Structures are given as structure tokens and as C-alpha cells.
Amino acid sequence: MESSGMLLCLLCVSLVFVMCGGQSREVSAEEYEAKKSPASTERELVEAMEELLGKFQSTLPSTEKRGSIPLCGVGDRCAVRLGPRIGKLCDCGRRSNCNAFLLKCI
């Protein structure tokens, strides 16, 4: 009984293998071009973006301001007292402020 079940299973598997084994997937030239084209399309898009960035680079506003104050690190002197006024030497970076009493970035 058990051997007949195994024999039937083996027969079904071999039948499926014989029926599907003769079929092969051929790739046409159009399908090959369709598979190849995403990489070339990406490359063309990158080239177009670089060209556009090159054109508009001169028209974009610069990040530097006129008379900009340089950045200082934490613990550096950021201001100096000039009589009743305080003049700035540099601007504290992100997450730090210039303490008016210590005149340092904290």
C-alpha cells in the first residue's frame, strides 16, 4: 500500500517534469531591450539633471550673506564688550547660544 502511494507520487512528478521540461523560455530582442532600457533611461535622466543643475547653478542664491559672521564652537568667545554695547566676533553654531554674561557659546 505504501509503495503504491510512493509509485503514484513518483509517476505524477515525472509526468509534470516531462510535460514542462520541453518548454524553454526564449527571450526576444524586444524583451531584451525592455529589460536593458531602465539602466540606460536612468543614466539619461541623471545626465539631464546634471545639465539642468549646471544651467541654474549661477542663478541660485548663494548661502553666504554679505558681511557674514563666521561660526564658533562651543566654549569659544562669541562676543566682546565695547562699552555699553556688545559686539559679535562670531556666531554660535546650532544648539548653542551666546551667553551675554560669560560672552561664550554655551
Side-chain angles (χ1 to χ4, degrees), residues 42-89:
E42 257 183 50
R43 192 174 339 112
E44 289 173 4
L45 286 173
V46 168
E47 289 172 358
M49 288 297 291
E50 287 174 349
E51 184 179 329
L52 284 174
L53 283 174
K55 286 180 182 176
F56 292 115
Q57 189 67 31
S58 60
T59 61
L60 292 175
S62 65
T63 56
E64 293 183 21
K65 299 175 187 174
R66 292 185 185 170
S68 65
I69 300 173
L71 291 176
C72 9
V74 176
D76 292 342
R77 290 192 60 183
C78 58
V80 64
R81 287 194 189 272
L82 301 171
R85 293 185 281 161
I86 295 176
K88 282 199 158 198
L89 295 175

Side-chain angles (χ1 to χ4, degrees), residues 24-39:
S24 64
R25 173 113 169 95
E26 293 181 16
V27 179
S28 67
E30 295 157 353
E31 290 176 357
Y32 179 74
E33 287 296 323
K35 286 181 182 178
K36 192 179 89 168
S37 66

